[in-house]
Structures are given as C-alpha cells and as structure tokens.
Amino acid sequence: MKENTANTDKPVSIGVFDSGIGGLTVVKTLRAAIKEANIVYLGDTARVPYGTKSEETIKRFAREDTVFLIEKGVDLIVVACNTASSVALSYLKREFKDIPIFGVVEPGVNMALNASKTGKIGIIGTIATIKSHAHRKLLNKQGVLKVYEKACPLFVPLAEEGLTKGQIPRLVAEYYLHDLKEKVDTLILGCTHYPILMDTIKEVLGEQIKLIDPAYALALQVKSFLNNNGMIKNTGENGTLDLYLTDIPPHYHSLLSIFLGFTPDTIEKVDLKDISRC
Amino acid sequence: MKENTANTDKPVSIGVFDSGIGGLTVVKTLRAAIKEANIVYLGDTARVPYGTKSEETIKRFAREDTVFLIEKGVDLIVVACNTASSVALSYLKREFKDIPIFGVVEPGVNMALNASKTGKIGIIGTIATIKSHAHRKLLNKQGVLKVYEKACPLFVPLAEEGLTKGQIPRLVAEYYLHDLKEKVDTLILGCTHYPILMDTIKEVLGEQIKLIDPAYALALQVKSFLNNNGMIKNTGENGTLDLYLTDIPPHYHSLLSIFLGFTPDTIEKVDLKDISRC
C-alpha cells in the first residue's frame, strides 16, 4: 500500500478514470461526498467507448489509464467506468498492488442487495459489461439467483446527444426494458451515462422499481476508506478537479455541461502512447 | 506513384480502411464493380468511432491506418470512412505521395451534382464530417451555394444495433431530417453506416429526394483508374478479402452479417502500436 497522507498537509488526491466523459457523473457524486479531495480525472476520449470492445482490449486500455494516474501521484484510484470495472478490476488489482483501486460494480451490487425486497435484481449496461456477468457473479455469491441482464447500447449515444426526454428515449427504453418490468424490483444502472436518462427509465419502469446509481455507494465506500486511514483533511475548502482527456472532441463543451455541470480547474489533452509501451 | 502491376500476374491489391466495420459496405460495392481485385481491409475497431473525435486525432489515426496498409503491399488505398475522408484526405495525399489514395467525399459530391435538378443538395454525416464542411466546400467550388448539412450521430449506433426498421429509427430520422425535407432534392449519405438505414430515410424524406451512396461513385472512380493504368487482370476469378481488425469486438459476427453479408477469406487481429511511433 502506498504511504497514506495523514501526516502531510496535502489534501488527498483521488484518481478517477473512465472511457470518456461519462465518468464525470461519478466525479460529481464523489465531490458532493468528499469535498476536500483533489480529483485527477482521465477520460480516454480518443478511444471511447470501451463497452463495445473485447475483454483483452479493455484490459490493455484500463492498464494504460491506471499507469497514467499513478504517474500523476494520486493516492487511490476509482474506476468510474462500469465496463472497465466489470472486465478489468481484478486484473488491475493484481497488477498494481501498491495502490488501492475501487470499482463501481461491488458498491452497486451491495446497494441493490440493500434495496431489493424480492431479491429479484436487474442490471443494465454496455455489451461488454453484460457479457462479463460481473454483477451476476457477485449477486449469485450473495445467494441472489434471479438476476436479469440486459445490454442497452443506444442509451450512451442518446445521453451524449442530450436526447434524454421525450418520445425517442422513451421508446428506446421500452424496447430494452419491457421484459424487465415484471421481473425485478431493483435495477442497477450499470453505466455512467444511464443516470442522465433516469427520469425516462423511471417513466417506463414505474415508480415501484428502484433504480440504483452505483456512484452513491462508491462515494460512501471511498469516503469510509479515507476516514479509516485518516486521509481526509477537514480544510473546509473545496478540492480541485483536473481533467485529462486523450482527445478534445468537437462537442466537449456540451458533454461537460451534460455530465459535470461545472467547470474543472484545468483541462489538458494527453497522449497515452508512451504508456502503451509499458 | 507506385509501379503498377500491369506486367505481373498478381491481381491488383486494394487497401481499404475505416474506423470500424462500417466500411465493409464500401467493400461490398467495390467487389461488385471490380471482382478480380484482392482487398485488404483494416477496421480500427479498437478506437471506433472517429466521427465524434477531433481533427488532430482523426488525422493521427488515419495516418497509422495508411502506414499499415502500405506495409501490407497494397497498390492503392481507399479511405472508406467518410470522417477520415472529410478530415484527413488532403493530409494523407501530402504525406504519402507514392501511392494513389481515394476518398469518398469527392465521388459522393460528383454523384450528387449529376443527380440534382434544383442544385439544392444536403449532406448528412458524423459530427466531425459535418464540422469539416468538406462536402460543402467542394459543392461551393462547383457553384452550388445552397448546401444543407446535418450531423446524425444516432444513425451509427442504430445501424450497429440492427435497429434499421420500425418506429424508433423512423422517429430518429424524422428528428434529424424534418427540416431537410422541403429544402433539398438530393441528399448525400455521408457515412458508411447510413446505407443500412436507406429504407427508413426514404420513408421519412419521400421518394422525390434522391439519396446518394458515395460508394457507387467511388467504385467506378477506382475501376476507371485501374483500367486506365492496365491494372485489372480479367482472370474471371473472385479476388480475396483479408480483414484486419484492431479489436475483435464481442458482437463482430452480427456486425459482419449486417455490413458485409459474406465471410472474408481471413480475419486477423492486429496492433497499430508500433505504427503509432512513426
């Protein structure tokens, strides 16, 4: 484990990575829970999305993202991307034993277990997340055997297009979710983009189905880890948010406003080419 | 110019690259027009899509794709990707003077000019294609001043999901195209994925608007170049199709069946990492 920062004056630095901009929904939740922390965010916008790609490629990308954040000197790493969490988290933990790494799958599953009354839990995510069965395996271990999985590839481009309300997203949500309606009482939103579509998903599924945004449980898990290790300084000041992107896409202003809603302290384009050689 | 193959017995070898699998619609058209040619196809599936990324990044990717195909010994290169054609073609022609390189923008524009009676032409494509104004600039040069441009980012994921008919794609097409209906008599389908949605686009726009698939004009342009240079051997035999992909995505079987409809001779996963260093 990395030496913790309890004895220094520097605020804790949390590294967060995601395949793109979507992970900023997790950053927002982390900031609300742990406002003093500095956040270093890497969005792999040059290679986004990960969710349609193979396990091997996702692991390679996740490794490069992790090396980048470690080189930035962060104290711990959050894998905000559900796809990378589902496919690559155990691999990253094995490869990088000196730094704590948190994913969004386990917190989401625990939150769903607490919320569900019938033990019938659903999970929606990218093609790669669903194909990994990461959530199902964890739920099965906890004795939950009825798990319903559904890949919803169109939700990401809908959210990025800002098309979150109205007939089109409602029909797409019905297309994906109509057979989940009667089967589950709790649904994990297993992709950082999906909370943006929360209202539409609620409209389609009805109020009786609980929607789980794993970011909340993840933020609490990270906060509790920091507290237990004396790593939070109660300075009363807001931490910084430094954004690193592997590409600055033409529409990034609109993406930032959809997913973050405030302006980061710095935005910088970076190249992971050197890291590819690790 | 590369020495042409007129005096050897080897069939001509056409290199085709695309950001992903979509360019296989262009391969199908090329095969129909020039059946004796061997085709070497590179799909950059690890970094797909290009259409949401910046000019700088698209140029870098297109350069790496081109180097890969040159190293495979092809006689000429087709940039099947409309985004790369729009953003990077002149750059590639400047960088690689020894090999003929063809894009899909100019053939599409010429085909539209021939088809249009009113001179009111529309172009739909990815965010990066539309932002480049590549089609508009060429049309303006030809004296066509009324050009209507519209980015349609959801068409790509709809086509990849196989969701090409019915209420959802129709509503999405209406969402993007409703203001083009009265304005143009000819519309260029400026993305390799869009021909897959041809029927739905026709349904929304009506039969009176001509839809232009640049692949046809491109195939004729390439065929005429090969004929003029004595590069086509009339062997009567079908050429081969070798597919190189930078990632083998989990759903590639379904993508191949949507975009190609027959089985390539070989499929191989390749890594462009070494090329990144060029």
Side-chain angles (χ1 to χ4, degrees):
Chain A
M1 283 283 171
K2 189 164 184 168
E3 194 184 326
N4 78 44
T5 53
N7 300 324
T8 75
D9 284 337
K10 244 180 63 190
V12 67
S13 171
I14 302 177
V16 180
F17 79 80
D18 180 55
S19 57
I21 302 277
L24 291 173
T25 59
V26 177
V27 166
K28 262 206 311 205
T29 313
L30 273 172
R31 283 266 283 212
I34 317 161
K35 70 170 190 160
E36 295 88 355
N38 289 341
I39 296 180
V40 179
Y41 181 91
L42 172 65
D44 193 5
T45 39
R47 303 188 292 197
V48 71
Y50 288 0
T52 51
K53 290 160 193 173
S54 69
E55 185 181 324
E56 188 190 343
T57 292
I58 295 162
K59 280 181 176 166
R60 178 162 67 88
F61 290 172
R63 182 194 164 82
E64 291 166 12
D65 300 337
T66 304
V67 171
F68 176 87
L69 290 173
I70 289 174
E71 287 178 357
K72 287 282 161 205
V74 300
D75 299 301
L76 62 92
I77 287 174
V78 169
V79 185
C81 175
N82 284 264
T83 300
S85 289
S86 297
V87 170
L89 189 68
S90 341
Y91 163 74
L92 294 177
K93 285 186 170 185
R94 276 197 312 275
E95 291 284 303
F96 304 98
K97 293 204 173 74
D98 293 336
I99 190 158
I101 305 181
F102 296 84
V104 282
V105 174
E106 200 191 325
V109 161
N110 290 337
M111 204 174 154
L113 283 166
N114 283 333
S116 175
K117 283 181 182 159
T118 61
K120 291 175 185 168
I121 294 174
I123 157 78
I124 54 176
T126 64
I127 294 175
T129 295
I130 295 307
K131 196 175 159 276
S132 78
H133 305 302
H135 299 79
R136 193 175 78 188
K137 287 174 195 163
L138 276 182
L139 285 162
N140 286 170
K141 266 193 200 167
Q142 301 290 328
V144 176
L145 301 178
K146 288 190 176 161
V147 181
Y148 299 88
E149 300 162 304
K150 183 80 187 169
C152 306
L154 283 168
F155 280 174
V156 168
L158 279 174
E160 296 211 342
E161 181 85 336
L163 208 55
T164 55
K165 294 192 187 200
Q167 207 183 357
I168 293 174
R170 201 167 52 244
L171 281 173
V172 173
E174 268 164 19
Y175 171 73
Y176 287 131
L177 306 177
H178 67 274
D179 33 306
L180 284 184
K181 260 191 224 180
E182 310 300 320
K183 289 183 182 153
V184 304
D185 78 336
T186 304
L187 182 68
I188 301 172
L189 304 180
C191 174
T192 53
H193 283 68
Y194 297 177
I196 306 287
L197 289 157
M198 181 84 93
D199 290 346
T200 296
I201 296 172
K202 240 182 213 157
E203 208 182 313
V204 166
L205 288 180
E207 290 290 333
Q208 71 282 12
I209 296 182
K210 287 169 213 120
L211 301 182
I212 302 296
D213 177 0
Y216 291 98
L218 177 271
L220 293 179
Q221 193 190 13
V222 170
K223 188 175 184 174
S224 141
F225 173 86
L226 294 175
N227 275 329
N228 293 342
N229 288 278
M231 288 164 84
I232 299 186
K233 311 277 161 300
N234 291 315
T235 58
E237 280 176 36
N238 280 330
T240 53
L241 170 60
D242 295 309
L243 220 65
Y244 295 92
L245 301 174
T246 55
D247 182 49
I248 307 285
H251 55 313
Y252 86 101
H253 273 300
S254 99
L255 291 177
L256 282 189
S257 106
I258 293 171
F259 291 98
L260 188 63
F262 63 90
T263 308
D265 294 274
T266 63
I267 303 180
E268 195 181 314
K269 187 180 165 235
V270 290
D271 198 336
L272 299 183
K273 249 191 280 181
D274 292 328
I275 287 166
S276 310
R277 290 300 175 118
C278 296
Chain B
M1 281 285 171
K2 190 163 185 170
E3 195 185 324
N4 78 43
T5 54
N7 299 323
T8 75
D9 283 336
K10 242 179 67 190
V12 67
S13 170
I14 302 177
V16 180
F17 79 80
D18 180 55
S19 57
I21 302 278
L24 290 173
T25 59
V26 177
V27 166
K28 261 205 312 205
T29 312
L30 273 173
R31 282 266 285 210
I34 319 162
K35 69 169 191 162
E36 295 88 355
N38 289 339
I39 296 178
V40 180
Y41 181 92
L42 172 65
D44 193 7
T45 39
R47 304 188 291 196
V48 70
Y50 287 2
T52 51
K53 290 158 194 175
S54 71
E55 185 183 323
E56 188 190 342
T57 292
I58 295 162
K59 282 182 176 166
R60 177 162 66 88
F61 290 173
R63 184 194 162 81
E64 291 165 14
D65 300 338
T66 303
V67 171
F68 176 86
L69 289 174
I70 289 174
E71 286 177 357
K72 287 283 161 205
V74 299
D75 299 301
L76 62 91
I77 287 174
V78 169
V79 185
C81 175
N82 284 265
T83 300
S85 289
S86 298
V87 170
L89 189 69
S90 344
Y91 163 75
L92 294 177
K93 285 186 170 185
R94 276 196 312 275
E95 292 283 305
F96 303 99
K97 291 202 176 75
D98 293 337
I99 189 158
I101 305 181
F102 295 85
V104 282
V105 175
E106 201 191 324
V109 162
N110 290 337
M111 202 173 156
L113 282 167
N114 283 333
S116 175
K117 285 183 182 157
T118 62
K120 291 175 185 168
I121 294 175
I123 158 79
I124 54 176
T126 64
I127 294 174
T129 295
I130 295 306
K131 199 175 156 276
S132 79
H133 306 301
H135 298 78
R136 193 174 77 188
K137 286 175 196 162
L138 277 181
L139 285 163
N140 287 171
K141 267 192 199 166
Q142 301 290 326
V144 175
L145 301 177
K146 287 191 177 162
V147 181
Y148 299 90
E149 301 164 302
K150 183 78 186 172
C152 307
L154 284 168
F155 281 174
V156 169
L158 279 174
E160 297 211 342
E161 182 84 336
L163 209 56
T164 56
K165 293 191 188 202
Q167 206 182 1
I168 293 174
R170 201 165 54 242
L171 281 173
V172 173
E174 268 165 16
Y175 172 72
Y176 287 131
L177 306 177
H178 68 275
D179 33 309
L180 285 185
K181 260 191 224 181
E182 309 300 322
K183 288 185 184 150
V184 304
D185 78 337
T186 303
L187 183 67
I188 301 172
L189 304 179
C191 174
T192 53
H193 284 66
Y194 297 177
I196 306 288
L197 289 157
M198 183 83 94
D199 289 347
T200 295
I201 296 174
K202 240 182 213 158
E203 206 182 314
V204 165
L205 289 180
E207 290 290 335
Q208 71 281 13
I209 295 181
K210 286 169 212 119
L211 300 182
I212 302 296
D213 177 359
Y216 292 98
L218 177 272
L220 292 180
Q221 192 190 14
V222 170
K223 188 174 183 174
S224 145
F225 173 86
L226 294 176
N227 275 328
N228 292 343
N229 288 278
M231 290 164 83
I232 298 186
K233 311 276 161 300
N234 292 314
T235 57
E237 279 176 35
N238 281 331
T240 53
L241 171 60
D242 296 308
L243 219 66
Y244 295 92
L245 301 174
T246 55
D247 182 48
I248 306 285
H251 55 315
Y252 88 100
H253 273 300
S254 100
L255 291 178
L256 282 190
S257 105
I258 293 171
F259 291 98
L260 188 63
F262 64 90
T263 308
D265 294 275
T266 64
I267 302 179
E268 194 181 312
K269 187 179 167 234
V270 290
D271 197 336
L272 299 183
K273 249 191 282 180
D274 292 328
I275 287 167
S276 310
R277 289 302 174 118
C278 298

